[in-house]
Amino acid sequence: MRLSRYFLPTLKETPAEAQIVSHRLMLRAAMVRQHAAGIYTWLPLGFAVLKKIEQIVREEQNRAGAQEMLMPTIQSAELWRESGRYDDYGKEMLRITDRHERDMLYGPTAEEVITDVFRTSIRSYKDLPKILYHIQWKFRDEVRPRFGVMRGREFLMKDAYSFDLDTATARHSYNQMFVAYLRTFARMGLKAIPLRAETGPIGGDLSHEFIVLADTGESEVHCHRALLEKPTPEGVDYDADLQPLVDEWTGLYAAADEMHDVTKAASLGDDLVTARGIEVGHIFHFGTKYSAPMGATVTGPDGDPVTVAMGSYGVGVSRLVGAIIEASHDDAGIIWPEAVAPFHVGLINLKVGDEGTDAACASLYDALGPDRVLYDDRDERAGAKFADMDLIGLPWQVIVGPKGLAKGVVEMKNRATGEREEISAESALARLSG
Ligand code: 5CA
């Protein structure tokens, strides 16, 4: 993409309303604009990152055997009356009345919708287990939306739902999602810690939150050092028994501040780490909480009806954009991990209009392709170009000017380490294509 044509209205001033670094940087880097409290428009740069994150979430869900679908944002209140949550959910639910005076709502989650689809479609235990998911916008009328996309009112969530014949197989579905989450967050360059959690309005008796570590995170976590050093599970066979792997991750001490056992933690001595983090995922096993009142049953092996055991599994897709920035930035701006970067390379032309420089840039741009490179071909001061490129945080910068070209080199800069190297344009291309 040529920056001269790209819609990237970066801001020089730090917006006064933004209290945390990711919110400030997302506004300054022209990733989002606030539309109303807790509701954002995603500009091209922010949208590109959101899509990358969404795709990683999708790939790991599919790998674990979950199937993607799409449920509506606007739901019928009727189903929520059946589950008993319509009144419980309170003011966080945005309630809407249609022209026929029917009660509707903007979905804050989708247990009721999926349970309804399930009960009208699946009749036999032979069709189980199933894990179904979608990636869809949610609305929760939070009292205090703040921190930009980290606590929005409208936000993008991946929510998966599992259906099993009994608690033992439901536990396997839970474990599949647990492992998929470890892989998902690791692929985004994040360190995520699973914590035993409260179930809140979703309900149930087994739940884990996944907290990514960032110094500026909202919550405090205490955990065993070994948890931070555990390698990400690779080459997982999702059909195999995953319990030993899950036990390895849950057997080490880890607790959020409010559930923190001071005595137990103190016994860890030097192995205790206290850090800050952000909740990016939350998984629940809640058995028959929705299937029982809503009548989601299948015919079991002996011909009797069995109420299915369910779980639900959320990832805060739009929150992750902010969480990654909280975990990866410096004074100059964002530092995107390669896997979620909106572009791989920022190409800076130091002398637009100089024939040789323009030609060298054009050939690098063509060779790398417009999806991988953001080419700063604007007629701007070098300083402004450097500042913008650091701010938007692409993993690599290639800086091309007449002085370097006279020596046969371009400058290649690694955004994360700040390392700079003078190499030929061909070598830069070879490295960036690799
Ligand atoms: N139905 C379950 C799982 S599908 C559920 O809704 N779980 S949740 O309430 O924990 O939300 C799942 C994830 O969505 C959270 O872990 C968090 O990362 C994200 N999330 C929740 N509320 C917000 C919000 N207001 N803004 C941004 N992300 C949010």
Side-chain angles (χ1 to χ4, degrees):
M1 176 59 72
R2 284 175 180 271
L3 195 41
S4 60
R5 295 180 197 159
Y6 197 47
F7 183 52
L8 188 75
T10 55
L11 306 175
K12 294 214 168 40
E13 306 300 321
T14 298
E17 77 269 24
Q19 301 166 27
I20 59 167
V21 67
S22 60
H23 191 193
R24 284 198 289 275
L25 289 173
M26 286 181 75
L27 292 169
R28 284 191 52 214
M31 293 179 65
V32 290
R33 286 288 185 266
Q34 183 172 310
H35 169 78
I39 303 178
Y40 292 86
T41 293
W42 292 78
L43 306 187
L45 191 77
F47 189 48
V49 176
L50 189 68
K51 283 189 289 183
K52 289 262 168 105
I53 292 173
E54 184 183 307
Q55 185 57 20
I56 292 174
V57 171
R58 174 178 290 119
E59 285 170 16
E60 294 302 328
Q61 288 292 295
N62 294 348
R63 198 193 294 269
Q67 299 174 51
E68 188 171 15
M69 55 191 286
L70 186 60
M71 290 179 270
T73 53
I74 307 289
Q75 306 179 6
S76 153
E78 218 34 60
L79 288 175
W80 288 69
R81 293 203 175 93
E82 269 192 65
S83 73
R85 273 208 294 186
Y86 191 62
D87 294 325
D88 294 355
Y89 221 92
K91 291 204 159 190
E92 280 213 351
M93 181 185 275
L94 182 65
R95 294 156 206 261
I96 305 163
T97 311
D98 74 7
R99 66 198 299 161
H100 306 293
E101 301 292 318
R102 274 189 290 253
D103 293 330
M104 312 292 286
L105 57 100
Y106 196 117
T109 175
E111 281 81 3
E112 283 78 359
V113 177
I114 193 81
T115 304
D116 181 48
V117 170
F118 181 91
R119 70 179 172 185
T120 55
S121 320
I122 291 202
R123 304 257 175 255
S124 165
Y125 75 96
K126 290 181 191 149
D127 295 322
L128 299 182
K130 285 268 177 302
I131 305 181
L132 302 169
Y133 76 98
H134 73 163
I135 300 172
Q136 177 63 292
W137 292 91
K138 304 292 185 294
F139 196 92
R140 292 184 186 173
D141 206 352
E142 305 264 353
V143 192
R144 261 200 327 144
R146 61 204 162 122
F147 305 151
V149 301
M150 299 261 273
R151 184 169 299 280
R153 291 198 295 167
E154 188 185 50
F155 58 97
L156 189 61
M157 192 203 283
K158 183 286 296 179
D159 38 326
Y161 302 88
S162 65
F163 298 89
D164 281 276
L165 190 60
D166 55 38
T167 311
T169 56
R171 183 64 208 238
H172 182 62
S173 298
Y174 187 90
N175 290 347
Q176 287 177 318
M177 289 294 111
F178 188 106
V179 175
Y181 278 32
L182 292 175
R183 291 184 44 84
T184 301
F185 302 129
R187 275 186 64 186
M188 296 172 192
L190 297 168
K191 191 103 234 157
I193 301 207
L195 292 187
R196 193 65 201 237
E198 310 264 14
T199 54
I202 308 294
D205 52 14
L206 173 62
S207 171
H208 285 91
E209 282 175 11
F210 287 78
I211 308 287
V212 302
L213 298 186
D215 293 343
T216 45
E218 223 185 328
S219 46
E220 194 166 53
V221 296
H222 309 270
C223 72
H224 194 292
R225 188 178 303 282
L227 207 46
L228 303 178
E229 286 152 15
K230 286 188 81 57
T232 313
E234 299 287 350
V236 180
D237 171 3
Y238 279 99
D239 290 329
D241 181 11
L242 299 172
Q243 197 61 51
L245 176 56
V246 171
D247 287 345
E248 262 179 49
W249 281 85
T250 54
L252 290 162
Y253 183 78
D257 215 22
E258 61 284 4
M259 293 175 92
H260 176 46
D261 176 341
V262 182
T263 320
K264 201 164 162 199
S267 73
L268 299 182
D270 283 351
D271 285 333
L272 180 70
V273 180
T274 296
R276 302 200 71 81
I278 300 156
E279 181 201 314
V280 290
H282 201 157
I283 61 177
F284 306 82
H285 167 73
F286 43 71
T288 59
K289 179 174 173 182
Y290 302 90
S291 49
M294 294 184 68
T297 58
V298 294
T299 308
D302 51 12
D304 293 334
V306 180
T307 302
V308 294
M310 290 176 59
S312 74
Y313 313 91
V315 169
V317 176
S318 49
R319 174 178 287 186
L320 271 165
V321 181
I324 292 169
I325 297 173
E326 292 292 332
S328 184
H329 66 269
D330 63 14
D331 289 345
I334 302 166
I335 303 173
W336 291 116
E338 302 251 357
V340 300
F343 296 92
H344 188 54
V345 190
L347 175 62
I348 298 178
N349 182 331
L350 290 177
K351 197 158 191 198
V352 174
D354 175 77
E355 210 175 304
T357 310
D358 288 351
C361 286
S363 86
L364 279 166
Y365 181 61
D366 289 343
L368 288 162
D371 293 341
R372 301 193 78 208
V373 192
L374 185 61
Y375 171 26
D376 194 346
D377 60 342
R378 298 171 303 171
D379 191 10
E380 272 278 354
R381 290 182 302 113
K385 293 189 172 192
F386 294 145
D388 270 348
M389 213 46 103
D390 279 351
L391 172 65
I392 68 171
L394 308 181
W396 295 99
Q397 295 175 14
V398 175
I399 302 149
V400 183
K403 281 196 201 124
L405 289 176
K407 292 189 286 175
V409 296
V410 298
E411 193 176 20
M412 195 163 151
K413 174 179 155 183
N414 180 304
R415 175 67 182 88
T417 63
E419 262 172 82
R420 294 160 180 278
E421 226 184 314
E422 293 201 323
I423 53 177
S424 70
E426 295 73 44
S427 314
L429 186 59
R431 276 213 232 157
L432 294 167
S433 314

